[in-house]
Coordinates of all heavy atoms in Angstrom, one line a residue:
M42 N 13.8 -128.5 -40.6 CA 14.2 -127.9 -41.9 C 13.1 -126.8 -42.2 O 13.5 -125.8 -42.8 CB 14.3 -128.9 -43.0 CG 14.8 -128.2 -44.2 SD 15.5 -129.1 -45.6 CE 15.5 -130.7 -45.4
L43 N 11.9 -127.1 -41.9 CA 10.8 -126.1 -42.2 C 11.1 -124.8 -41.4 O 10.8 -123.7 -41.9 CB 9.5 -126.7 -41.8 CG 8.2 -125.8 -42.1 CD1 8.1 -125.6 -43.6 CD2 7.0 -126.5 -41.5
F44 N 11.6 -124.9 -40.2 CA 11.9 -123.8 -39.4 C 12.9 -122.9 -40.0 O 12.9 -121.7 -40.0 CB 12.3 -124.2 -38.0 CG 12.6 -123.1 -37.0 CD1 11.6 -122.4 -36.5 CD2 14.0 -122.8 -36.7 CE1 11.9 -121.3 -35.6 CE2 14.2 -121.7 -35.9 CZ 13.2 -121.0 -35.3
A45 N 13.9 -123.5 -40.6 CA 15.0 -122.8 -41.3 C 14.5 -122.1 -42.5 O 15.0 -121.0 -42.9 CB 16.1 -123.8 -41.7
F46 N 13.4 -122.6 -43.2 CA 12.8 -121.9 -44.3 C 12.0 -120.7 -43.9 O 12.1 -119.6 -44.5 CB 11.9 -122.8 -45.1 CG 12.6 -123.7 -46.1 CD1 12.4 -125.1 -46.0 CD2 13.4 -123.2 -47.1 CE1 13.0 -126.0 -46.9 CE2 14.0 -124.1 -48.0 CZ 13.8 -125.5 -47.9
V47 N 11.2 -120.9 -42.8 CA 10.2 -119.9 -42.5 C 10.6 -118.8 -41.5 O 10.3 -117.6 -41.6 CB 8.9 -120.6 -42.0 CG1 7.9 -119.7 -41.6 CG2 8.4 -121.5 -43.1
A48 N 11.3 -119.2 -40.5 CA 11.6 -118.3 -39.3 C 12.4 -117.1 -39.7 O 12.0 -116.0 -39.3 CB 12.3 -119.1 -38.2
P49 N 13.5 -117.1 -40.4 CA 14.3 -115.9 -40.7 C 13.5 -114.9 -41.5 O 13.4 -113.7 -41.2 CB 15.5 -116.4 -41.4 CG 15.7 -117.8 -41.0 CD 14.3 -118.3 -40.8
F50 N 12.8 -115.4 -42.5 CA 11.9 -114.5 -43.3 C 10.9 -113.8 -42.5 O 10.6 -112.6 -42.6 CB 11.3 -115.3 -44.5 CG 10.4 -114.5 -45.3 CD1 10.9 -113.7 -46.3 CD2 9.0 -114.6 -45.1 CE1 10.0 -112.9 -47.1 CE2 8.1 -113.8 -45.9 CZ 8.6 -113.0 -46.9
T51 N 10.2 -114.6 -41.7 CA 9.1 -114.1 -40.9 C 9.6 -113.1 -39.8 O 9.0 -112.1 -39.6 CB 8.4 -115.3 -40.2 OG1 8.0 -116.2 -41.1 CG2 7.2 -114.8 -39.4
L52 N 10.7 -113.4 -39.2 CA 11.3 -112.5 -38.2 C 11.6 -111.1 -38.8 O 11.3 -110.1 -38.2 CB 12.5 -113.1 -37.5 CG 12.2 -114.2 -36.5 CD1 13.6 -114.8 -36.1 CD2 11.5 -113.6 -35.3
V53 N 12.3 -111.1 -40.0 CA 12.7 -109.9 -40.6 C 11.4 -109.1 -41.0 O 11.3 -107.9 -40.7 CB 13.5 -110.1 -41.8 CG1 13.8 -108.8 -42.6 CG2 14.9 -110.7 -41.4
A54 N 10.4 -109.7 -41.6 CA 9.2 -109.0 -42.0 C 8.4 -108.5 -40.8 O 7.9 -107.4 -40.8 CB 8.3 -110.0 -42.8
L55 N 8.4 -109.3 -39.7 CA 7.6 -108.9 -38.5 C 8.3 -107.7 -37.8 O 7.6 -106.8 -37.5 CB 7.5 -110.1 -37.5 CG 6.9 -109.8 -36.2 CD1 5.4 -109.7 -36.4 CD2 7.2 -110.9 -35.2
F56 N 9.6 -107.8 -37.6 CA 10.3 -106.7 -36.9 C 10.3 -105.4 -37.8 O 10.2 -104.3 -37.2 CB 11.7 -107.1 -36.6 CG 11.8 -108.1 -35.4 CD1 12.8 -109.1 -35.4 CD2 11.0 -108.0 -34.4 CE1 12.8 -110.0 -34.4 CE2 11.0 -108.9 -33.3 CZ 12.0 -109.9 -33.3
T57 N 10.3 -105.6 -39.1 CA 10.3 -104.4 -39.9 C 8.9 -103.7 -39.8 O 8.7 -102.5 -39.8 CB 10.6 -104.7 -41.4 OG1 11.9 -105.3 -41.5 CG2 10.5 -103.5 -42.3
R58 N 7.9 -104.6 -39.8 CA 6.5 -104.1 -39.7 C 6.2 -103.4 -38.4 O 5.6 -102.4 -38.3 CB 5.5 -105.3 -39.9 CG 4.1 -104.9 -39.8 CD 3.6 -104.2 -41.0 NE 2.1 -104.1 -40.8 CZ 1.4 -103.1 -41.2 NH1 2.0 -102.2 -41.9 NH2 0.2 -103.0 -41.0
V59 N 6.8 -104.0 -37.3 CA 6.5 -103.5 -36.0 C 7.3 -102.2 -35.7 O 6.7 -101.2 -35.2 CB 6.9 -104.5 -34.9 CG1 6.9 -103.9 -33.5 CG2 5.9 -105.7 -35.0
T60 N 8.5 -102.1 -36.1 CA 9.4 -100.9 -35.8 C 9.3 -99.9 -36.9 O 9.8 -98.7 -36.7 CB 10.8 -101.3 -35.7 OG1 11.3 -101.9 -36.9 CG2 11.0 -102.3 -34.5
Y61 N 8.7 -100.2 -38.1 CA 8.6 -99.2 -39.2 C 10.0 -98.8 -39.7 O 10.2 -97.7 -40.2 CB 7.8 -98.0 -38.9 CG 6.3 -98.4 -38.7 CD1 5.8 -98.3 -37.4 CD2 5.5 -98.7 -39.8 CE1 4.5 -98.7 -37.2 CE2 4.2 -99.0 -39.6 CZ 3.7 -99.0 -38.3 OH 2.4 -99.3 -38.1
N62 N 11.0 -99.6 -39.4 CA 12.4 -99.3 -39.8 C 13.0 -100.6 -40.3 O 13.1 -101.5 -39.5 CB 13.2 -98.6 -38.7 CG 14.5 -98.1 -39.2 OD1 15.0 -98.5 -40.2 ND2 15.1 -97.2 -38.4
K63 N 13.5 -100.6 -41.5 CA 14.0 -101.9 -42.1 C 15.3 -102.3 -41.4 O 15.6 -103.4 -41.2 CB 14.2 -101.8 -43.6 CG 15.2 -100.8 -44.0 CD 15.3 -100.8 -45.5 CE 16.2 -99.7 -46.0 NZ 15.6 -98.6 -46.5
W64 N 16.2 -101.3 -41.0 CA 17.5 -101.6 -40.4 C 17.3 -102.1 -39.0 O 18.0 -103.1 -38.6 CB 18.4 -100.4 -40.4 CG 18.7 -99.9 -41.8 CD1 18.2 -98.8 -42.4 CD2 19.4 -100.6 -42.8 NE1 18.7 -98.7 -43.7 CE2 19.4 -99.9 -44.0 CE3 20.1 -101.9 -42.8 CZ2 20.0 -100.3 -45.2 CZ3 20.7 -102.3 -44.0 CH2 20.7 -101.5 -45.1
V65 N 16.4 -101.6 -38.3 CA 16.2 -102.1 -36.9 C 15.6 -103.5 -37.0 O 16.0 -104.4 -36.3 CB 15.2 -101.2 -36.1 CG1 14.8 -101.8 -34.8 CG2 15.8 -99.9 -35.9
G66 N 14.7 -103.8 -37.9 CA 14.1 -105.1 -38.1 C 15.2 -106.1 -38.6 O 15.2 -107.2 -38.1
I67 N 16.1 -105.7 -39.5 CA 17.1 -106.6 -39.9 C 18.1 -106.9 -38.8 O 18.4 -108.1 -38.6 CB 17.9 -106.0 -41.1 CG1 17.0 -106.0 -42.3 CG2 19.1 -106.7 -41.4 CD1 17.5 -105.1 -43.5
L68 N 18.5 -105.9 -38.0 CA 19.4 -106.2 -36.9 C 18.8 -107.0 -35.8 O 19.4 -107.9 -35.2 CB 19.9 -104.9 -36.3 CG 20.9 -104.1 -37.2 CD1 21.2 -102.7 -36.6 CD2 22.1 -104.9 -37.5
L69 N 17.5 -106.8 -35.5 CA 16.9 -107.6 -34.4 C 16.7 -109.0 -34.9 O 17.0 -110.0 -34.1 CB 15.5 -107.0 -34.1 CG 15.5 -105.8 -33.2 CD1 14.1 -105.2 -33.2 CD2 16.0 -106.1 -31.9
A70 N 16.3 -109.2 -36.1 CA 16.2 -110.6 -36.6 C 17.5 -111.3 -36.7 O 17.6 -112.5 -36.4 CB 15.5 -110.6 -38.0
L71 N 18.5 -110.6 -37.2 CA 19.8 -111.2 -37.3 C 20.4 -111.6 -35.9 O 20.9 -112.7 -35.7 CB 20.8 -110.3 -38.0 CG 22.2 -110.8 -38.3 CD1 22.1 -112.0 -39.2 CD2 23.1 -109.7 -38.9
G72 N 20.2 -110.8 -34.9 CA 20.6 -111.1 -33.6 C 19.9 -112.3 -33.0 O 20.5 -113.2 -32.4
M73 N 18.6 -112.4 -33.3 CA 17.8 -113.6 -32.8 C 18.2 -114.8 -33.5 O 18.4 -115.9 -32.9 CB 16.3 -113.3 -32.9 CG 15.8 -112.4 -31.9 SD 14.0 -112.3 -32.0 CE 13.5 -113.9 -31.4
I74 N 18.5 -114.7 -34.8 CA 18.9 -115.9 -35.6 C 20.2 -116.4 -35.1 O 20.5 -117.6 -34.9 CB 18.8 -115.6 -37.1 CG1 17.4 -115.4 -37.5 CG2 19.5 -116.7 -37.9 CD1 17.3 -114.8 -38.9
I75 N 21.2 -115.5 -34.9 CA 22.5 -115.9 -34.5 C 22.4 -116.5 -33.1 O 23.1 -117.5 -32.8 CB 23.5 -114.7 -34.5 CG1 23.8 -114.3 -35.9 CG2 24.7 -115.0 -33.7 CD1 24.6 -113.0 -36.1
F76 N 21.6 -115.9 -32.2 CA 21.5 -116.5 -30.9 C 20.9 -117.9 -30.9 O 21.4 -118.8 -30.2 CB 20.6 -115.6 -30.0 CG 20.4 -116.1 -28.7 CD1 21.4 -116.0 -27.7 CD2 19.1 -116.6 -28.3 CE1 21.2 -116.4 -26.4 CE2 18.9 -117.1 -27.0 CZ 19.9 -117.0 -26.1
V77 N 19.9 -118.1 -31.7 CA 19.3 -119.5 -31.8 C 20.2 -120.5 -32.5 O 20.4 -121.6 -32.0 CB 18.0 -119.4 -32.5 CG1 17.4 -120.7 -32.9 CG2 16.9 -118.6 -31.7
L78 N 20.9 -120.1 -33.6 CA 21.7 -121.0 -34.3 C 23.0 -121.4 -33.6 O 23.5 -122.4 -33.7 CB 22.0 -120.5 -35.7 CG 20.8 -120.4 -36.6 CD1 21.2 -119.9 -38.0 CD2 20.2 -121.8 -36.8
R79 N 23.5 -120.4 -32.7 CA 24.7 -120.7 -32.0 C 24.4 -121.6 -30.8 O 25.3 -122.3 -30.3 CB 25.4 -119.5 -31.6 CG 26.0 -118.7 -32.8 CD 26.9 -117.6 -32.4 NE 27.9 -117.9 -31.5 CZ 29.2 -118.2 -31.8 NH1 29.5 -118.2 -33.0 NH2 30.1 -118.4 -30.8
A80 N 23.2 -121.7 -30.3 CA 22.8 -122.5 -29.2 C 22.8 -124.0 -29.5 O 22.9 -124.8 -28.7 CB 21.5 -122.0 -28.6
F81 N 22.6 -124.2 -30.8 CA 22.4 -125.6 -31.3 C 23.5 -125.9 -32.3 O 23.9 -125.1 -33.0 CB 21.1 -125.9 -31.9 CG 19.9 -125.6 -31.0 CD1 19.2 -124.5 -31.2 CD2 19.7 -126.4 -29.9 CE1 18.1 -124.2 -30.3 CE2 18.6 -126.1 -29.0 CZ 17.8 -125.0 -29.3
D82 N 23.9 -127.2 -32.3 CA 24.9 -127.6 -33.3 C 24.1 -128.0 -34.6 O 23.5 -129.0 -34.7 CB 25.7 -128.8 -32.8 CG 26.9 -129.1 -33.7 OD1 27.3 -128.2 -34.5 OD2 27.4 -130.3 -33.7
R83 N 24.2 -127.1 -35.6 CA 23.4 -127.3 -36.8 C 24.3 -127.8 -38.0 O 25.5 -127.6 -38.0 CB 22.8 -126.0 -37.3 CG 21.8 -125.4 -36.3 CD 20.6 -126.2 -36.3 NE 19.6 -125.6 -35.4 CZ 18.5 -126.1 -35.1 NH1 18.1 -127.2 -35.6 NH2 17.7 -125.5 -34.2
D84 N 23.7 -128.4 -39.0 CA 24.4 -128.8 -40.2 C 24.6 -127.6 -41.1 O 23.8 -126.6 -41.0 CB 23.6 -129.9 -40.9 CG 23.5 -131.2 -40.2 OD1 24.4 -131.5 -39.4 OD2 22.5 -131.9 -40.4
V85 N 25.5 -127.7 -42.0 CA 25.9 -126.6 -42.8 C 24.7 -126.2 -43.8 O 24.4 -125.1 -44.0 CB 27.1 -126.9 -43.6 CG1 27.4 -125.8 -44.6 CG2 28.3 -127.0 -42.7
Y86 N 24.0 -127.2 -44.3 CA 22.9 -126.9 -45.2 C 21.8 -126.2 -44.5 O 21.1 -125.4 -45.1 CB 22.5 -128.2 -46.0 CG 21.8 -129.2 -45.1 CD1 20.4 -129.2 -45.0 CD2 22.5 -130.2 -44.5 CE1 19.7 -130.1 -44.2 CE2 21.8 -131.2 -43.7 CZ 20.4 -131.1 -43.6 OH 19.8 -132.0 -42.8
L87 N 21.5 -126.5 -43.3 CA 20.5 -125.8 -42.6 C 20.9 -124.3 -42.3 O 20.0 -123.4 -42.4 CB 20.2 -126.4 -41.2 CG 19.4 -127.7 -41.3 CD1 19.2 -128.3 -39.9 CD2 18.0 -127.5 -41.9
L88 N 22.1 -124.1 -42.1 CA 22.6 -122.7 -42.0 C 22.5 -121.9 -43.3 O 22.1 -120.8 -43.3 CB 24.1 -122.7 -41.5 CG 24.3 -123.1 -40.1 CD1 25.8 -123.2 -39.8 CD2 23.6 -122.2 -39.1
L89 N 22.8 -122.6 -44.4 CA 22.7 -122.0 -45.7 C 21.2 -121.7 -46.0 O 20.9 -120.6 -46.6 CB 23.3 -122.8 -46.8 CG 24.8 -123.0 -46.6 CD1 25.4 -123.9 -47.7 CD2 25.5 -121.6 -46.7
I90 N 20.3 -122.6 -45.7 CA 18.9 -122.4 -45.9 C 18.4 -121.2 -45.1 O 17.7 -120.3 -45.6 CB 18.1 -123.6 -45.6 CG1 18.4 -124.7 -46.7 CG2 16.6 -123.4 -45.6 CD1 17.8 -126.1 -46.3
G91 N 18.9 -121.1 -43.8 CA 18.5 -120.0 -43.0 C 19.0 -118.7 -43.5 O 18.3 -117.7 -43.4
L92 N 20.2 -118.7 -44.0 CA 20.8 -117.4 -44.5 C 20.0 -117.0 -45.8 O 19.8 -115.8 -46.0 CB 22.3 -117.6 -44.8 CG 23.2 -117.5 -43.6 CD1 24.6 -117.9 -44.0 CD2 23.2 -116.1 -43.0
A93 N 19.7 -117.9 -46.7 CA 19.0 -117.6 -47.9 C 17.6 -117.0 -47.5 O 17.2 -116.0 -48.1 CB 18.8 -118.8 -48.7
S94 N 16.9 -117.6 -46.5 CA 15.6 -117.1 -46.1 C 15.8 -115.7 -45.5 O 14.9 -114.9 -45.7 CB 15.0 -118.1 -45.1 OG 13.8 -117.6 -44.6
F95 N 16.9 -115.5 -44.7 CA 17.1 -114.2 -44.2 C 17.3 -113.1 -45.2 O 16.7 -112.0 -45.2 CB 18.4 -114.2 -43.3 CG 18.7 -112.9 -42.7 CD1 18.0 -112.4 -41.6 CD2 19.8 -112.2 -43.2 CE1 18.4 -111.1 -41.1 CE2 20.2 -111.0 -42.7 CZ 19.4 -110.4 -41.6
F96 N 18.0 -113.4 -46.3 CA 18.2 -112.5 -47.4 C 17.0 -112.2 -48.2 O 16.7 -111.1 -48.6 CB 19.4 -112.9 -48.3 CG 20.7 -112.8 -47.7 CD1 21.6 -113.8 -47.5 CD2 21.1 -111.5 -47.2 CE1 22.8 -113.7 -46.9 CE2 22.4 -111.4 -46.6 CZ 23.2 -112.4 -46.5
V97 N 16.1 -113.2 -48.3 CA 14.9 -113.0 -49.0 C 14.0 -112.1 -48.1 O 13.3 -111.2 -48.6 CB 14.2 -114.4 -49.3 CG1 12.7 -114.2 -49.8 CG2 15.0 -115.1 -50.4
G98 N 14.0 -112.3 -46.8 CA 13.3 -111.5 -45.9 C 13.8 -110.1 -45.9 O 13.0 -109.1 -45.8
T99 N 15.1 -109.9 -46.1 CA 15.6 -108.6 -46.1 C 15.2 -107.8 -47.4 O 14.8 -106.6 -47.3 CB 17.2 -108.6 -46.1 OG1 17.6 -109.3 -45.0 CG2 17.8 -107.3 -46.2
I100 N 15.1 -108.5 -48.5 CA 14.6 -107.9 -49.7 C 13.2 -107.5 -49.6 O 12.7 -106.5 -50.0 CB 14.9 -108.9 -50.9 CG1 16.4 -109.0 -51.2 CG2 14.1 -108.4 -52.2 CD1 16.7 -110.1 -52.1
Y101 N 12.4 -108.4 -49.0 CA 11.0 -108.1 -48.7 C 10.8 -106.9 -47.8 O 9.9 -106.1 -48.0 CB 10.3 -109.4 -48.2 CG 8.8 -109.2 -47.9 CD1 8.0 -109.1 -49.0 CD2 8.3 -109.2 -46.6 CE1 6.6 -109.0 -48.8 CE2 7.0 -109.0 -46.4 CZ 6.1 -108.9 -47.5 OH 4.8 -108.8 -47.3
S102 N 11.7 -106.8 -46.8 CA 11.6 -105.7 -45.9 C 11.8 -104.4 -46.6 O 11.3 -103.3 -46.2 CB 12.5 -105.9 -44.7 OG 13.8 -105.7 -45.0
F103 N 12.8 -104.3 -47.5 CA 13.0 -103.1 -48.3 C 11.7 -102.7 -49.1 O 11.4 -101.6 -49.2 CB 14.1 -103.3 -49.3 CG 15.5 -103.2 -48.7 CD1 16.3 -104.3 -48.6 CD2 16.0 -102.0 -48.1 CE1 17.5 -104.3 -48.0 CE2 17.2 -102.0 -47.5 CZ 18.0 -103.1 -47.5
K104 N 11.0 -103.7 -49.6 CA 9.8 -103.5 -50.3 C 8.7 -103.0 -49.4 O 7.9 -102.1 -49.7 CB 9.3 -104.7 -51.1 CG 10.2 -105.0 -52.3 CD 9.7 -106.2 -53.0 CE 10.6 -106.5 -54.2 NZ 10.1 -107.6 -55.0
L105 N 8.6 -103.6 -48.2 CA 7.7 -103.2 -47.2 C 7.9 -101.7 -46.8 O 6.9 -101.0 -46.6 CB 7.8 -104.0 -45.9 CG 6.9 -105.3 -45.8 CD1 7.2 -106.0 -44.5 CD2 5.5 -104.9 -45.9
E106 N 9.1 -101.3 -46.6 CA 9.4 -99.9 -46.1 C 9.0 -98.9 -47.2 O 8.5 -97.9 -47.0 CB 10.8 -99.7 -45.7 CG 11.0 -98.4 -45.1 CD 12.4 -98.1 -44.6 OE1 13.4 -98.5 -45.3 OE2 12.6 -97.6 -43.5
K107 N 9.3 -99.3 -48.5 CA 8.8 -98.4 -49.6 C 7.3 -98.3 -49.6 O 6.8 -97.2 -49.8 CB 9.3 -99.0 -50.9 CG 10.7 -98.8 -51.2 CD 11.1 -99.4 -52.6 CE 12.5 -99.3 -52.8 NZ 12.9 -99.9 -54.1
K108 N 6.6 -99.3 -49.3 CA 5.2 -99.3 -49.2 C 4.7 -98.4 -48.1 O 3.8 -97.6 -48.2 CB 4.6 -100.7 -49.0 CG 3.1 -100.8 -49.0 CD 2.8 -102.3 -48.9 CE 1.3 -102.5 -48.7 NZ 1.0 -103.9 -48.5
F109 N 5.4 -98.5 -46.9 CA 5.0 -97.7 -45.8 C 5.3 -96.2 -46.0 O 4.5 -95.3 -45.6 CB 5.7 -98.1 -44.5 CG 5.3 -99.4 -44.0 CD1 6.3 -100.3 -43.5 CD2 4.0 -99.8 -44.0 CE1 5.9 -101.5 -43.1 CE2 3.7 -101.1 -43.5 CZ 4.6 -101.9 -43.1
T110 N 6.4 -95.9 -46.6 CA 6.8 -94.5 -46.8 C 5.8 -93.8 -47.8 O 5.5 -92.6 -47.7 CB 8.2 -94.3 -47.3 OG1 8.5 -95.1 -48.4 CG2 9.2 -94.7 -46.1
R111 N 5.4 -94.6 -48.8 CA 4.5 -94.0 -49.8 C 3.1 -93.7 -49.1 O 2.4 -92.8 -49.4 CB 4.3 -94.9 -51.0 CG 5.3 -94.7 -52.0 CD 5.0 -95.5 -53.2 NE 5.8 -96.7 -53.1 CZ 5.4 -97.9 -53.7 NH1 4.3 -98.0 -54.3 NH2 6.2 -98.9 -53.5
R112 N 2.7 -94.6 -48.2 CA 1.4 -94.5 -47.6 C 1.4 -93.3 -46.6 O 0.4 -92.6 -46.5 CB 1.1 -95.8 -46.8 CG -0.3 -95.7 -46.2 CD -0.6 -97.0 -45.4 NE -0.6 -98.1 -46.3 CZ -0.7 -99.4 -45.8 NH1 -0.8 -99.6 -44.5 NH2 -0.7 -100.4 -46.6
W113 N 2.5 -93.1 -45.9 CA 2.5 -92.0 -44.8 C 2.8 -90.6 -45.3 O 2.7 -89.7 -44.6 CB 3.4 -92.4 -43.7 CG 2.9 -93.6 -43.0 CD1 3.4 -94.9 -43.1 CD2 1.8 -93.7 -42.1 NE1 2.7 -95.8 -42.3 CE2 1.8 -95.1 -41.7 CE3 0.9 -92.8 -41.6 CZ2 0.8 -95.5 -40.8 CZ3 0.0 -93.3 -40.7 CH2 -0.1 -94.6 -40.3
K114 N 3.3 -90.5 -46.6 CA 3.6 -89.2 -47.1 C 2.4 -88.4 -47.6 O 1.4 -88.8 -47.9 CB 4.6 -89.3 -48.2 CG 6.0 -89.5 -47.7 CD 7.0 -89.5 -48.8 CE 8.4 -89.7 -48.2 NZ 9.4 -89.6 -49.2

């Protein structure tokens, strides 16, 4: 359950930071999350926790990109 809380948020933030593009970071993280979650038979509540964490990570990535664009201009 801890993995469902932490992993999606961390993946989105990490990929956004590495690629300097929020959309690439979101798509890469979503692809990895779908790949991992489809490989295992998960309960519905774990999927919902993972989706919530993914959306929080997405919001955080939007804030990260604003921070980067202000710094580089």
Side-chain angles (χ1 to χ4, degrees):
M42 184 164 0
L43 182 64
F44 183 75
F46 278 125
V47 176
F50 175 81
T51 307
L52 284 174
V53 173
L55 176 75
F56 287 142
T57 301
R58 176 78 173 146
V59 169
T60 63
Y61 294 106
N62 188 340
K63 66 180 173 256
W64 297 112
V65 173
I67 290 169
L68 289 175
L69 284 173
L71 186 61
M73 286 188 69
I74 291 166
I75 288 173
F76 179 74
V77 168
L78 291 179
R79 291 190 49 99
F81 303 107
D82 189 22
R83 299 284 183 186
D84 293 332
V85 174
Y86 69 90
L87 284 177
L88 292 174
L89 293 176
I90 291 171
L92 282 174
S94 177
F95 176 76
F96 287 122
V97 171
T99 302
I100 293 168
Y101 182 70
S102 73
F103 283 113
K104 290 183 180 183
L105 268 177
E106 190 179 40
K107 284 182 185 178
K108 183 178 174 181
F109 292 139
T110 56
R111 275 188 263 152
R112 185 183 298 172
W113 293 106
K114 283 186 177 182

